């Protein structure tokens, strides 16, 4: 969001709070973070958030302008996003 230049507010929920999971559940339908709330939509999942921000702020250059470079970048993100289960655990 900072790279887009858009105004935004951030809400941090500490896992040290006894009711942290309930706090997240009130905002996030999946109960997971990160979560972008934009125009009444709750957009979860980091990759979906970046895609949404890219659609809304194309001049921010969140993805490479070159189609081939963009495809490689998306492929790398998708691989990181869906793989490396042992590391992510």
């Amino acid at each position: 969001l900072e790279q887009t230049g858009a105004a935004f507010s951030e809400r941090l929920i500490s896992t040290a709070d006894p009711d942290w999971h309930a706090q997240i559940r009130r905002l996030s339908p999946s109960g997971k973070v990160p979560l972008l709330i934009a125009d009444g939509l709750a957009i979860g999942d980091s990759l979906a958030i970046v895609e949404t921000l890219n659609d809304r702020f194309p001049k921010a250059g969140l993805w490479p302008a070159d189609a081939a470079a963009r495809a490689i970048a998306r492929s790398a993100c998708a691989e990181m996003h869906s793989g490396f289960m042992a590391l992510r655990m």
Side-chain angles (χ1 to χ4, degrees):
L1 276 166
E2 288 176 0
Q3 289 180 325
T4 69
F8 68 94
S9 63
E10 182 177 26
R11 181 168 178 188
L12 300 176
I13 298 173
S14 172
T15 56
D17 290 342
D19 68 337
W20 68 271
H21 196 260
Q23 290 180 57
I24 291 170
R25 272 285 192 198
R26 284 193 286 274
L27 299 170
S28 174
S30 69
K32 296 182 180 180
V33 292
L35 178 74
L36 172 67
I37 300 174
D39 299 328
L41 296 173
I43 303 157
D45 184 87
S46 56
L47 195 51
I49 290 169
V50 171
E51 290 287 354
T52 299
L53 293 176
N54 186 69
D55 290 346
R56 291 174 183 233
F57 305 99
K59 291 182 181 178
L62 299 177
W63 286 118
D66 177 74
R70 193 168 52 252
I72 291 168
R74 284 181 167 142
S75 179
C77 286
E79 185 176 339
M80 289 294 295
H81 189 72
S82 63
F84 304 98
M85 294 306 282
L87 180 63
R88 292 172 57 206
M89 297 300 240

